[in-house]
Amino acid sequence: MSRVIEFSSTGGPEVLEFKEVEVPAPGPGEVRIRVKALGLNRAESMWRTGEYIEEVKLPARLGYEAAGFVEAIGEGVTGFVVGEAVNTVPAFSQNQYGMYGELVLAPISAVVKHPPGLSFEEAASIWMMFITVYGAFIEAADLKAGDVVLIPAASSSVGLASIQLVNMVGATPIALTRTAAKRQQLLDAGAAFVIVTEEQDLVAEVMRITDGVGARVVFDPVGGPSLGKLVKAMKTGGILLAYGALSEEPAQFSYLDLLIKLPTILGYTIWNTSGDPVRQKAAVEFITAGLAAGALKPMIDRTFAFDEMVEAHRYLETNNQFGKIVVSV
């Protein structure tokens, strides 16, 4: 028997319920994992509220990122042994699997080796953020040394991972943040420049920093009215990757600016990379090498206990964190 977390109706964190269930033996292509830590993601709170890109089927499980030990192996699974430390990456539907539990089943297509030298809490924090930015910058944007990158919501886990990876390839990360409260933290985290959008003119600052050229890459999880400013701040022929919709307001930009800037605007999700075995393997190898070299590092804001999952989700929705929220199991 194992405690897992489910919800029977969509809503706030209070809909999350602990259930005692029997976790079956893994089927073909599955492993059963004794979970030691979980990484929390905005995608999971959107899933819980019924506002995710996929329709939730109730009652529902949730959770993408877990770190723990293999407890049992299903038919056809190779490359892993019972007792081995492993992690899960976001490469499945939460309608099929959910990692919020003490003992869980996971598809082998979403299981990777535990990176050497990391704690379970650290390992549970890295895959969503680093695979997301790998796919965006290395695959989609073909980021090169010397490029300038705009990073809205830079204090999020994906924002901080963006700063690290941009620095890793020799490009220049410009972090955007609404208030000055996190400015020094962002500089300490590796941002070359920080623009406080409630106090500074975003477009003017980017043009000042880039000598009037603009940023070649924009990685935006917000949308809304600020999208037009991001387009104005771009280099002609640059690329804007939209990977979220944190703003509830409609995106706004000038069609004339499209004709002036000639940008490529793409919708982007982690599934582009994690859902393809070949691309996922390349991403994992790139990230593992970056971790080993110290260029990529876990960024944990706060750790909660498993019993505190409702409180952890409440904290997730405050948007006050600087980095990843992790739960110890």
Side-chain angles (χ1 to χ4, degrees), residues 24 63 71 76 87 93 95 105-106 109 121 126 143 209 221 243 274 279 310 326:
E71 193 192 71
N87 309 158
S93 167
N95 277 322
L105 294 177
S109 59
E121 287 75 16
I126 59 174
L143 193 67
I209 292 166
Y243 73 97
S274 66
R279 294 167 73 175
V310 172
V326 174

PDB file of all heavy atoms in Angstrom, residues 24 63 71 76 87 93 95 105-106 109 121 126 143 209 221 243 274 279 310 326:
ATOM      1  N   PRO A  24      -0.014  -1.501  -8.166  1.00  0.00           N
ATOM      2  CA  PRO A  24       0.192  -2.827  -8.765  1.00  0.00           C
ATOM      3  C   PRO A  24       1.619  -3.038  -9.231  1.00  0.00           C
ATOM      4  O   PRO A  24       2.423  -2.102  -9.305  1.00  0.00           O
ATOM      5  CB  PRO A  24      -0.775  -2.816  -9.958  1.00  0.00           C
ATOM      6  CG  PRO A  24      -0.928  -1.367 -10.306  1.00  0.00           C
ATOM      7  CD  PRO A  24      -0.850  -0.620  -9.002  1.00  0.00           C
ATOM      8  N   GLY A  63       1.629  15.122 -11.179  1.00  0.00           N
ATOM      9  CA  GLY A  63       3.054  15.109 -10.872  1.00  0.00           C
ATOM     10  C   GLY A  63       3.892  14.543 -11.991  1.00  0.00           C
ATOM     11  O   GLY A  63       3.612  13.461 -12.513  1.00  0.00           O
ATOM     12  N   GLU A  71      11.921  -0.093  -7.542  1.00  0.00           N
ATOM     13  CA  GLU A  71      11.509  -1.163  -6.635  1.00  0.00           C
ATOM     14  C   GLU A  71      11.127  -2.438  -7.396  1.00  0.00           C
ATOM     15  O   GLU A  71      11.281  -3.544  -6.875  1.00  0.00           O
ATOM     16  CB  GLU A  71      10.333  -0.705  -5.772  1.00  0.00           C
ATOM     17  CG  GLU A  71      10.076  -1.650  -4.612  1.00  0.00           C
ATOM     18  CD  GLU A  71       8.763  -1.380  -3.921  1.00  0.00           C
ATOM     19  OE1 GLU A  71       7.713  -1.663  -4.515  1.00  0.00           O
ATOM     20  OE2 GLU A  71       8.801  -0.893  -2.786  1.00  0.00           O
ATOM     21  N   GLY A  76      10.062  -6.432 -20.447  1.00  0.00           N
ATOM     22  CA  GLY A  76      10.637  -5.705 -21.567  1.00  0.00           C
ATOM     23  C   GLY A  76      11.511  -4.530 -21.187  1.00  0.00           C
ATOM     24  O   GLY A  76      12.096  -3.886 -22.066  1.00  0.00           O
ATOM     25  N   ASN A  87      15.357   8.969 -11.870  1.00  0.00           N
ATOM     26  CA  ASN A  87      14.488  10.147 -11.880  1.00  0.00           C
ATOM     27  C   ASN A  87      13.452   9.970 -12.982  1.00  0.00           C
ATOM     28  O   ASN A  87      13.651   9.177 -13.908  1.00  0.00           O
ATOM     29  CB  ASN A  87      15.259  11.426 -12.177  1.00  0.00           C
ATOM     30  CG  ASN A  87      16.482  11.647 -11.317  1.00  0.00           C
ATOM     31  OD1 ASN A  87      17.374  12.386 -11.714  1.00  0.00           O
ATOM     32  ND2 ASN A  87      16.571  11.009 -10.148  1.00  0.00           N
ATOM     33  N   SER A  93       1.396  11.733 -20.110  1.00  0.00           N
ATOM     34  CA  SER A  93       0.187  12.471 -19.733  1.00  0.00           C
ATOM     35  C   SER A  93      -0.132  12.210 -18.267  1.00  0.00           C
ATOM     36  O   SER A  93      -0.040  11.076 -17.791  1.00  0.00           O
ATOM     37  CB  SER A  93      -0.993  12.024 -20.598  1.00  0.00           C
ATOM     38  OG  SER A  93      -2.217  12.499 -20.058  1.00  0.00           O
ATOM     39  N   ASN A  95      -2.983  12.151 -17.221  1.00  0.00           N
ATOM     40  CA  ASN A  95      -4.159  11.284 -17.235  1.00  0.00           C
ATOM     41  C   ASN A  95      -3.762   9.811 -17.173  1.00  0.00           C
ATOM     42  O   ASN A  95      -4.615   8.958 -16.908  1.00  0.00           O
ATOM     43  CB  ASN A  95      -4.980  11.525 -18.508  1.00  0.00           C
ATOM     44  CG  ASN A  95      -5.903  12.722 -18.387  1.00  0.00           C
ATOM     45  OD1 ASN A  95      -6.480  12.966 -17.336  1.00  0.00           O
ATOM     46  ND2 ASN A  95      -6.038  13.482 -19.466  1.00  0.00           N
ATOM     47  N   LEU A 105       4.041   4.102 -10.301  1.00  0.00           N
ATOM     48  CA  LEU A 105       4.423   3.493 -11.561  1.00  0.00           C
ATOM     49  C   LEU A 105       4.838   4.593 -12.533  1.00  0.00           C
ATOM     50  O   LEU A 105       4.256   5.688 -12.537  1.00  0.00           O
ATOM     51  CB  LEU A 105       3.260   2.707 -12.159  1.00  0.00           C
ATOM     52  CG  LEU A 105       2.789   1.468 -11.412  1.00  0.00           C
ATOM     53  CD1 LEU A 105       1.579   0.866 -12.117  1.00  0.00           C
ATOM     54  CD2 LEU A 105       3.904   0.439 -11.291  1.00  0.00           C
ATOM     55  N   ALA A 106       5.829   4.294 -13.369  1.00  0.00           N
ATOM     56  CA  ALA A 106       6.277   5.254 -14.367  1.00  0.00           C
ATOM     57  C   ALA A 106       6.600   4.522 -15.658  1.00  0.00           C
ATOM     58  O   ALA A 106       7.115   3.390 -15.630  1.00  0.00           O
ATOM     59  CB  ALA A 106       7.513   6.009 -13.886  1.00  0.00           C
ATOM     60  N   SER A 109       9.872   5.136 -20.730  1.00  0.00           N
ATOM     61  CA  SER A 109      10.232   6.234 -21.634  1.00  0.00           C
ATOM     62  C   SER A 109      10.449   7.547 -20.895  1.00  0.00           C
ATOM     63  O   SER A 109      11.002   8.496 -21.461  1.00  0.00           O
ATOM     64  CB  SER A 109       9.139   6.435 -22.684  1.00  0.00           C
ATOM     65  OG  SER A 109       7.890   6.719 -22.064  1.00  0.00           O
ATOM     66  N   GLU A 121      16.474  15.476  -3.662  1.00  0.00           N
ATOM     67  CA  GLU A 121      15.774  16.753  -3.806  1.00  0.00           C
ATOM     68  C   GLU A 121      16.323  17.542  -4.993  1.00  0.00           C
ATOM     69  O   GLU A 121      15.559  18.125  -5.778  1.00  0.00           O
ATOM     70  CB  GLU A 121      15.891  17.570  -2.518  1.00  0.00           C
ATOM     71  CG  GLU A 121      15.049  17.067  -1.354  1.00  0.00           C
ATOM     72  CD  GLU A 121      15.617  15.811  -0.697  1.00  0.00           C
ATOM     73  OE1 GLU A 121      16.819  15.499  -0.931  1.00  0.00           O
ATOM     74  OE2 GLU A 121      14.880  15.136   0.042  1.00  0.00           O
ATOM     75  N   ILE A 126      15.481  19.277 -11.479  1.00  0.00           N
ATOM     76  CA  ILE A 126      16.249  19.736 -12.640  1.00  0.00           C
ATOM     77  C   ILE A 126      15.625  19.465 -14.005  1.00  0.00           C
ATOM     78  O   ILE A 126      15.854  20.223 -14.957  1.00  0.00           O
ATOM     79  CB  ILE A 126      17.667  19.126 -12.645  1.00  0.00           C
ATOM     80  CG1 ILE A 126      17.591  17.595 -12.678  1.00  0.00           C
ATOM     81  CG2 ILE A 126      18.454  19.616 -11.432  1.00  0.00           C
ATOM     82  CD1 ILE A 126      18.948  16.922 -12.838  1.00  0.00           C
ATOM     83  N   LEU A 143      20.903  28.513 -30.448  1.00  0.00           N
ATOM     84  CA  LEU A 143      21.605  29.577 -29.739  1.00  0.00           C
ATOM     85  C   LEU A 143      23.118  29.464 -29.916  1.00  0.00           C
ATOM     86  O   LEU A 143      23.684  28.379 -29.817  1.00  0.00           O
ATOM     87  CB  LEU A 143      21.254  29.521 -28.251  1.00  0.00           C
ATOM     88  CG  LEU A 143      21.654  30.731 -27.395  1.00  0.00           C
ATOM     89  CD1 LEU A 143      20.850  31.957 -27.792  1.00  0.00           C
ATOM     90  CD2 LEU A 143      21.430  30.406 -25.910  1.00  0.00           C
ATOM     91  N   ILE A 209      21.550  48.344 -24.126  1.00  0.00           N
ATOM     92  CA  ILE A 209      22.474  47.241 -23.841  1.00  0.00           C
ATOM     93  C   ILE A 209      23.060  46.661 -25.130  1.00  0.00           C
ATOM     94  O   ILE A 209      24.240  46.294 -25.189  1.00  0.00           O
ATOM     95  CB  ILE A 209      21.748  46.137 -23.035  1.00  0.00           C
ATOM     96  CG1 ILE A 209      21.415  46.647 -21.629  1.00  0.00           C
ATOM     97  CG2 ILE A 209      22.593  44.865 -22.955  1.00  0.00           C
ATOM     98  CD1 ILE A 209      20.426  45.769 -20.874  1.00  0.00           C
ATOM     99  N   PRO A 221       7.168  33.208 -21.033  1.00  0.00           N
ATOM    100  CA  PRO A 221       6.097  32.406 -20.475  1.00  0.00           C
ATOM    101  C   PRO A 221       4.874  33.232 -20.075  1.00  0.00           C
ATOM    102  O   PRO A 221       3.975  32.726 -19.419  1.00  0.00           O
ATOM    103  CB  PRO A 221       6.745  31.832 -19.211  1.00  0.00           C
ATOM    104  CG  PRO A 221       7.580  32.983 -18.718  1.00  0.00           C
ATOM    105  CD  PRO A 221       8.065  33.710 -19.968  1.00  0.00           C
ATOM    106  N   TYR A 243       6.266  29.899 -24.302  1.00  0.00           N
ATOM    107  CA  TYR A 243       6.140  28.586 -23.661  1.00  0.00           C
ATOM    108  C   TYR A 243       5.178  28.588 -22.486  1.00  0.00           C
ATOM    109  O   TYR A 243       5.070  27.609 -21.744  1.00  0.00           O
ATOM    110  CB  TYR A 243       7.517  28.069 -23.229  1.00  0.00           C
ATOM    111  CG  TYR A 243       8.147  28.743 -22.028  1.00  0.00           C
ATOM    112  CD1 TYR A 243       8.044  28.184 -20.756  1.00  0.00           C
ATOM    113  CD2 TYR A 243       8.862  29.923 -22.161  1.00  0.00           C
ATOM    114  CE1 TYR A 243       8.639  28.784 -19.652  1.00  0.00           C
ATOM    115  CE2 TYR A 243       9.465  30.523 -21.070  1.00  0.00           C
ATOM    116  CZ  TYR A 243       9.347  29.955 -19.822  1.00  0.00           C
ATOM    117  OH  TYR A 243       9.942  30.550 -18.724  1.00  0.00           O
ATOM    118  N   SER A 274      11.037  16.076 -24.948  1.00  0.00           N
ATOM    119  CA  SER A 274      10.922  14.917 -24.060  1.00  0.00           C
ATOM    120  C   SER A 274      10.093  13.802 -24.673  1.00  0.00           C
ATOM    121  O   SER A 274      10.261  12.633 -24.319  1.00  0.00           O
ATOM    122  CB  SER A 274      10.311  15.334 -22.715  1.00  0.00           C
ATOM    123  OG  SER A 274       8.968  15.762 -22.870  1.00  0.00           O
ATOM    124  N   ARG A 279      15.642  12.769 -29.206  1.00  0.00           N
ATOM    125  CA  ARG A 279      15.880  14.129 -28.727  1.00  0.00           C
ATOM    126  C   ARG A 279      15.984  14.161 -27.203  1.00  0.00           C
ATOM    127  O   ARG A 279      16.787  14.904 -26.641  1.00  0.00           O
ATOM    128  CB  ARG A 279      14.774  15.057 -29.227  1.00  0.00           C
ATOM    129  CG  ARG A 279      14.799  15.228 -30.738  1.00  0.00           C
ATOM    130  CD  ARG A 279      13.549  15.875 -31.288  1.00  0.00           C
ATOM    131  NE  ARG A 279      13.491  17.298 -30.975  1.00  0.00           N
ATOM    132  CZ  ARG A 279      12.536  18.097 -31.426  1.00  0.00           C
ATOM    133  NH1 ARG A 279      11.559  17.616 -32.195  1.00  0.00           N
ATOM    134  NH2 ARG A 279      12.542  19.380 -31.111  1.00  0.00           N
ATOM    135  N   VAL A 310      -0.416  20.444   0.159  1.00  0.00           N
ATOM    136  CA  VAL A 310      -1.390  21.524  -0.057  1.00  0.00           C
ATOM    137  C   VAL A 310      -0.720  22.876   0.167  1.00  0.00           C
ATOM    138  O   VAL A 310      -0.871  23.808  -0.640  1.00  0.00           O
ATOM    139  CB  VAL A 310      -2.607  21.357   0.867  1.00  0.00           C
ATOM    140  CG1 VAL A 310      -3.520  22.587   0.787  1.00  0.00           C
ATOM    141  CG2 VAL A 310      -3.397  20.110   0.483  1.00  0.00           C
ATOM    142  N   VAL A 326      10.470  22.024  -3.979  1.00  0.00           N
ATOM    143  CA  VAL A 326      10.678  20.571  -3.921  1.00  0.00           C
ATOM    144  C   VAL A 326       9.953  20.008  -2.700  1.00  0.00           C
ATOM    145  O   VAL A 326       9.813  20.701  -1.679  1.00  0.00           O
ATOM    146  CB  VAL A 326      12.200  20.264  -3.838  1.00  0.00           C
ATOM    147  CG1 VAL A 326      12.449  18.784  -3.632  1.00  0.00           C
ATOM    148  CG2 VAL A 326      12.887  20.730  -5.133  1.00  0.00           C
TER     149      VAL A 326
END
